[in-house]
Amino acid sequence: MNSGLMNQTDCPEVMVPFTVFFIVGVVSLAENLLVVVAVIRNRNLHSPMYCFICSLAAFNTIASVTKTWENLMIVLSDMGQLEKRGPSETKLDDVMDSLLCMSFVGSIFSFLAIAVDRYITIFHALRYHNIMTMQRTGVILGAIWTTCGMLAVLMVKFFDFKFVMICLVVFFIISLAVICFLYVYMFMLARIHAKNIAALPIGRKSRRQQRWSSIMRGALTLTILFGAFVVCWVPFFLHLIIIMVCPMNPYCECYRSLFQLHVVLMMSHALIDPAIYAFRRHQCTFVVCFIYP
C-alpha cells in the first residue's frame, strides 16, 4: 500500500474464487425464477401476499444476475478480453451498480409491504379483502418498482458525494427499525389475542385457535426471512459506514479486506429465501406454499 494515501495494515484482501460467485448466482437465480414462475402461473397464488413475495423474488433474481454478470466481466477483463476502464465498460458497470441498488431498495420496500399486509391480515381480518384489493396491490407494486428504479439511478450517479452514501445508510437503518417495530408490535398484540382466544368456550376456541396458529406460523416465517435479509446485508453496510468514518484506519482496513466475503453473503440472501420457504412448510407441494392455511 501507499503509505501516503492510507495507513499500513497487515490484513491482505480476502479473495473469493469466481466459481463461488458463479455457483451462488446460478443456484439463487434458478430458485427465485421458480418462485416467480409459480406465482404467475398458479391462479391460487394470485393474491396480494403472493404478489409481494413474487416481487421480493424478482428483486433477488436481479441481484443474482447482476453480481454473476459483474464477476464474469471481471474474469474476462483479467483474461484480457475486456478493457477495464473503457467507456462502454464504465457505463455497463454503472448499469449493474444501479440494478444492485434497485434490488436492495426493492427488497426493503417488499419486506415493508409484506409486514403491513401481515398486520392487516392478523388484526383486520374481516376487512382484509376490502383493504388489500388486487388493484391496490398493483398500484403499490408499481410505486415500489418505479421508486426503486429512480432511487437506484440517483444513488449511483451521485454516489461519490458523501451525502448520498449517508442517506443510503440512514435509509437502511430507518427501514430496519420500522419493519422491526411492526413485527414486534404485531407479536405483542398477538400474545394478547392468544390469551383472549384461550378464554373462549371450547368449541369456538378450537376453530379460532387453529386458524390463529396458521396465521402466526406465516408471520414467523416472514420474520425469519427478514432476519436472513438483515444478516446477509448488514456486513456490506458496515463496509460503507467504515468507508465514511475511518477510511485511513488500519483496523478498519482489516474489515474492508473482507469485502468479497460480504458480497458473497449479500448474494446468498437470494439463495436463502426460497430455502426458508421450503423448510418452513416442507409438507407443501411447492416451494412457495406457505402463509395461508
Side-chain angles (χ1 to χ4, degrees), residues 5-117:
L5 294 177
M6 61 180 66
N7 294 341
Q8 294 291 331
T9 178
D10 294 327
C11 303
E13 183 177 2
V14 177
M15 304 300 294
V16 177
F18 168 73
T19 307
V20 175
F21 284 104
F22 186 77
I23 292 174
V24 172
V26 170
V27 173
S28 60
L29 174 62
E31 288 181 347
N32 285 282
L33 280 178
L34 189 65
V35 173
V36 173
V37 171
V39 173
I40 292 175
R41 296 190 62 180
N42 192 337
R43 291 185 178 276
N44 294 328
L45 303 182
H46 291 182
S47 62
M49 180 66 215
Y50 288 109
C51 288
F52 295 135
I53 290 290
C54 184
S55 176
L56 177 61
F59 282 120
N60 285 339
T61 301
I62 290 173
S64 301
V65 171
T66 301
K67 292 308 299 182
T68 304
W69 184 12
E70 184 179 48
N71 282 280
L72 180 61
M73 288 185 61
I74 291 173
V75 171
L76 293 175
S77 178
D78 291 340
M79 294 171 59
Q81 301 297 318
L82 288 174
E83 184 182 350
K84 286 190 175 181
R85 299 313 296 173
S88 59
E89 284 73 23
T90 301
K91 291 180 180 178
L92 192 57
D93 186 60
D94 289 342
V95 171
M96 289 188 291
D97 288 342
S98 297
L99 289 174
L100 189 61
C101 287
M102 185 175 76
S103 172
F104 161 71
V105 178
S107 296
I108 284 285
F109 280 135
S110 296
F111 275 115
L112 184 59
I114 289 169
V116 172
D117 179 87

Side-chain angles (χ1 to χ4, degrees), residues 75-246:
V75 171
L76 293 175
S77 178
D78 291 340
M79 294 171 59
Q81 301 297 318
L82 288 174
E83 184 182 350
K84 286 190 175 181
R85 299 313 296 173
S88 59
E89 284 73 23
T90 301
K91 291 180 180 178
L92 192 57
D93 186 60
D94 289 342
V95 171
M96 289 188 291
D97 288 342
S98 297
L99 289 174
L100 189 61
C101 287
M102 185 175 76
S103 172
F104 161 71
V105 178
S107 296
I108 284 285
F109 280 135
S110 296
F111 275 115
L112 184 59
I114 289 169
V116 172
D117 179 87
R118 285 300 82 196
Y119 179 86
I120 296 173
T121 302
I122 293 174
F123 299 107
H124 300 280
L126 296 179
R127 297 193 300 135
Y128 174 77
H129 293 291
N130 293 327
I131 298 173
M132 292 299 298
T133 63
M134 288 301 294
Q135 184 177 2
R136 287 179 181 173
T137 302
V139 171
I140 292 171
L141 289 174
I144 288 175
W145 282 82
T146 302
T147 303
C148 291
M150 294 173 60
L151 288 177
V153 172
L154 292 174
M155 281 190 291
V156 172
K157 186 176 181 61
F158 300 104
F159 195 74
D160 290 336
F161 295 91
K162 185 173 288 188
F163 175 75
V164 174
M165 195 182 299
I166 293 173
C167 288
L168 181 61
V169 172
V170 170
F171 167 75
F172 180 66
I173 294 173
I174 291 177
S175 299
L176 293 188
V178 170
I179 296 173
C180 286
F181 171 78
L182 278 175
Y183 278 118
V184 170
Y185 183 63
M186 195 179 347
F187 281 109
M188 286 176 62
L189 291 180
R191 186 177 179 181
I192 297 173
H193 196 71
K195 290 181 179 179
N196 294 335
I197 291 177
L200 292 174
I202 295 177
R204 293 179 60 193
K205 180 169 69 174
S206 59
R207 291 193 300 270
R208 293 190 65 178
Q209 199 165 29
Q210 184 178 6
R211 181 179 180 277
W212 184 253
S213 297
S214 179
I215 290 175
M216 291 311 299
R217 281 198 302 270
L220 181 59
T221 298
L222 292 172
T223 305
I224 295 172
L225 289 172
F226 178 66
F229 174 81
V230 173
V231 170
C232 290
W233 280 89
V234 160
F236 176 76
F237 272 82
L238 286 177
H239 183 90
L240 295 182
I241 293 172
I242 285 173
I243 291 175
M244 293 185 294
V245 175
C246 56

